[in-house]
Amino acid sequence: MPDRTHAGDANRITREYLDSLLIEMRHIGAVLPDTSFTLFGHTFSTPIATAALSHLKGKDGNGMVQMAQACADTNASCFAGMGDEEELAQMLSTGAKVIKIIKPYADREMIDRRIAHAKQAGVLALGMDLDHSFNHKGEHDVVLGIPMAPMSEAELRALIHTAELPFVIKGVLSVTDALKAQDLGAAGIVVSHHHGILPYAIPPLLVLPDIVKAVGGKLKIFVDCGLNDGYDAFKALALGADAACLGRVIMPPLQAEGAPGVSAVITRATEELRGAMARTACGTLADLEPGLIWRV
């Protein structure tokens, strides 16, 4: 019998799909590229962001704060996952523009408190991570000892309305959910399978073009899961994403070097993106388009 040990590994499937996407060269009319990116009223130097990570270990300190410092230093956008109010305040004190992602806590008052604090602290945007509503047994999930429960569409609509900031729904991996997020009033979505939370989950870049077509530019679209460098980011952006999120690839340099290590990853990925743009005649991010991507 064939070895099926890793048959349903969504991370492997995603990496193989990313590597199957090739880039078409174009040179005539090329100019020096500009990677600047505007999001929710702020202009960033790069469309490469850090993913909605949590509880990171940094060099001699809080890794989340060091990650935020790197984003401030490189003028990149920054997501924040689970973490207490003090940690978020420290992240914001670096000058980073932070999108705070909140879990679907069963204790709805906890959600309200986290949102109120994040707004008062000055986050760029708010959001919710719907990936952890259930565990792999189909039961309500428990994350770090905290019970979760799925949000109804009515609850999400009310939450988005009362947030009074751009709201990003994370864990979208279908046109169905993308259109629901748009209808509920979200300002953005993260196309993601949360590092393979569902075996056999489709690669984000496989469903991305259909999502982009369906929402018609009415949502900001972020992509994460397995993006490692500027070439992965280029592929995501060419297929219609507004920004690409780097996750686990920043962890080793964060632990070894702290903020400078993460800054180096963001800078290198942005340089790779800029290099790919130069060799495909893309002067701005708006010039990237699906025709640049071929699949073997």
Side-chain angles (χ1 to χ4, degrees):
M1 293 181 63
D3 180 8
R4 296 184 55 80
T5 305
H6 305 291
D9 183 349
N11 296 311
R12 175 188 58 79
I13 294 168
T14 294
R15 185 66 255 170
E16 290 176 354
Y17 188 78
L18 276 164
D19 289 339
S20 77
L21 301 178
L22 307 182
I23 301 170
E24 173 183 289
M25 286 201 300
R26 300 175 184 175
H27 294 301
I28 296 175
V31 297
L32 288 174
D34 176 10
T35 60
S36 60
F37 162 62
T38 300
L39 174 68
F40 304 145
H42 185 83
T43 299
F44 296 94
S45 299
T46 177
I48 293 172
T50 55
L53 303 169
S54 306
H55 312 294
L56 294 180
K57 295 180 180 180
K59 182 182 180 183
D60 303 322
N62 186 309
M64 294 296 295
V65 177
Q66 292 172 16
M67 179 186 73
Q69 183 65 64
C71 289
D73 293 343
T74 56
N75 192 26
S77 52
C78 177
F79 280 83
M82 290 185 77
D84 60 26
E85 295 175 353
E86 176 59 28
E87 179 181 85
L88 179 60
Q90 290 178 15
M91 292 178 70
L92 290 164
S93 72
T94 67
K97 302 297 182 182
V98 178
I99 301 171
K100 175 63 176 176
I101 300 295
I102 297 168
K103 295 287 188 194
Y105 299 116
D107 180 353
R108 301 312 201 210
E109 291 184 0
M110 180 183 289
I111 295 174
D112 293 339
R113 291 194 301 271
R114 295 291 173 89
I115 287 178
H117 173 264
K119 289 167 61 177
Q120 186 276 330
V123 297
L124 177 67
L126 288 161
M128 178 158 283
D129 174 3
L130 302 182
D131 299 314
H132 273 296
S133 298
F134 301 99
N135 64 19
H136 70 283
K137 298 177 182 179
E139 304 162 338
H140 288 168
D141 206 353
V142 178
V143 181
L144 298 177
I146 305 175
M148 304 289 155
M151 302 284 290
S152 69
E153 291 185 38
E155 285 180 303
L156 273 174
R157 189 184 300 275
L159 198 65
I160 291 168
H161 176 73
T162 59
E164 299 176 334
L165 283 174
F167 200 92
V168 178
I169 293 181
K170 181 176 180 291
V172 172
L173 202 64
S174 66
V175 169
T176 298
D177 275 359
L179 290 175
K180 285 183 177 180
Q182 181 176 304
D183 177 67
L184 292 171
I189 56 176
V190 182
V191 180
S192 167
H193 56 53
H194 204 118
H195 195 64
I197 200 167
L198 172 67
Y200 297 99
I202 56 178
L205 265 61
L206 177 56
V207 71
L208 176 62
D210 289 341
I211 289 175
V212 171
K213 181 179 180 181
V215 303
K218 296 178 181 178
L219 293 175
K220 289 293 185 182
I221 300 177
F222 303 84
V223 173
D224 74 4
C225 296
L227 303 182
N228 290 333
D229 54 32
Y231 303 106
D232 287 346
F234 181 93
K235 295 173 186 179
L237 297 167
L239 292 175
D242 294 290
C245 301
L246 303 184
R248 291 173 184 264
V249 70
I250 75 169
M251 293 181 183
L254 176 64
Q255 294 177 15
E257 305 172 56
V262 179
S263 293
V265 173
I266 295 171
T267 298
R268 180 174 64 252
T270 302
E271 290 171 347
E272 291 166 344
L273 170 62
R274 188 180 298 117
M277 290 173 64
R279 288 174 171 163
T280 53
C282 293
T284 70
L285 297 175
D287 295 325
L288 277 72
E289 52 91 10
L292 289 162
I293 305 300
W294 293 65
R295 188 179 180 203
V296 292

